[in-house]
Amino acid sequence: MIKLLGINIPENQIGNWKIEMDNGECSLVKLSLGGSIMKDSATEYYQHQWLWDNATGDILVAGLGIGFLNKELIDNHTFNSVTIIENSQDVIDLVWPYCVKDSRFTLIEADIETWTPPANSHWDIGWFDSWISDNPLSYNGYMFAMKNKYSSYCDKIGAWCISHDISNSLVSS
């Protein structure tokens, strides 16, 4: 078992995905890309600073990753619910059974780009930390698409490595 920052995920591989230790950090590796897409590291933590600063109410999350935001939210934030949209059943099988969660967490297997939220859905925060290196959209194109699709559902929208609310700013396609 790997234990870093309170995360316990056994090293394993399913399909194109692998959980491994990388220099003492739990890492989610996408084998077809040849490297890690998320690590349990201080760098990753600080790249989520916008979420930590805004996490409250109902939260929509794109991507399960290694589930470390679950631990941070439970330990340090007041929130009502977290809805996580993850498009890979293999990632779900590797991570979901082992990540910290409680009854406020809901996991939906779907692609955040094509998923249709249920009628009358609303979240205080939308957090878009999806890995897009193998996505035909550029990073800005992805952010533009997420802002356009989800700004009517989310009061604020944040994304990995962006220090401001993108739902109230221009994001070029």
Side-chain angles (χ1 to χ4, degrees):
M1 295 292 275
I2 299 166
K3 183 173 173 124
L4 296 168
L5 302 177
I7 297 173
N8 292 290
I9 303 174
E11 292 185 287
N12 196 3
Q13 179 179 333
I14 300 175
N16 193 33
W17 296 93
K18 183 177 183 180
I19 296 288
E20 68 180 15
M21 286 298 290
D22 182 11
N23 295 319
E25 298 168 339
C26 178
S27 181
L28 177 63
V29 174
K30 189 169 187 180
L31 298 171
S32 63
L33 296 176
S36 175
I37 67 161
M38 185 174 212
K39 287 185 180 184
D40 183 9
S41 68
T43 300
E44 187 85 35
Y45 181 89
Y46 293 118
Q47 291 170 341
H48 283 67
Q49 192 61 53
W50 183 91
L51 178 60
W52 311 145
D53 291 345
N54 291 279
T56 188
D58 299 306
I59 303 169
L60 174 66
V61 176
L64 175 59
I66 57 172
F68 85 74
L69 69 82
N70 299 22
K71 174 77 169 133
E72 169 63 21
L73 292 173
I74 286 173
D75 287 352
N76 299 305
H77 300 273
T78 302
F79 64 96
N80 299 327
S81 71
V82 177
T83 302
I84 301 169
I85 310 301
E86 171 57 53
N87 70 357
S88 170
Q89 184 62 53
D90 291 343
V91 170
I92 292 168
D93 293 344
L94 281 169
V95 175
W96 191 247
Y98 306 100
C99 68
V100 175
K101 57 193 169 294
D102 60 25
S103 63
R104 296 174 290 177
F105 287 81
T106 301
L107 178 66
I108 298 170
E109 182 189 0
D111 186 325
I112 196 71
E113 292 180 43
T114 58
W115 178 64
T116 301
N120 301 316
S121 292
H122 174 266
W123 294 274
D124 299 286
I125 302 297
W127 177 250
F128 295 88
D129 181 20
S130 298
W131 186 257
I132 64 160
S133 71
D134 53 352
N135 187 320
L137 294 174
S138 67
Y139 181 77
N140 284 342
Y142 172 77
M143 290 289 88
F144 182 78
M146 296 302 95
K147 176 183 171 181
N148 282 344
K149 182 170 185 164
Y150 289 99
S151 42
S152 65
Y153 296 101
C154 300
D155 295 338
K156 291 183 178 181
I157 295 176
W160 177 77
C161 283
I162 295 178
S163 62
H164 60 275
D165 173 6
I166 67 170
S167 61
N168 292 317
S169 65
L170 295 175
V171 177
S172 63
S173 59

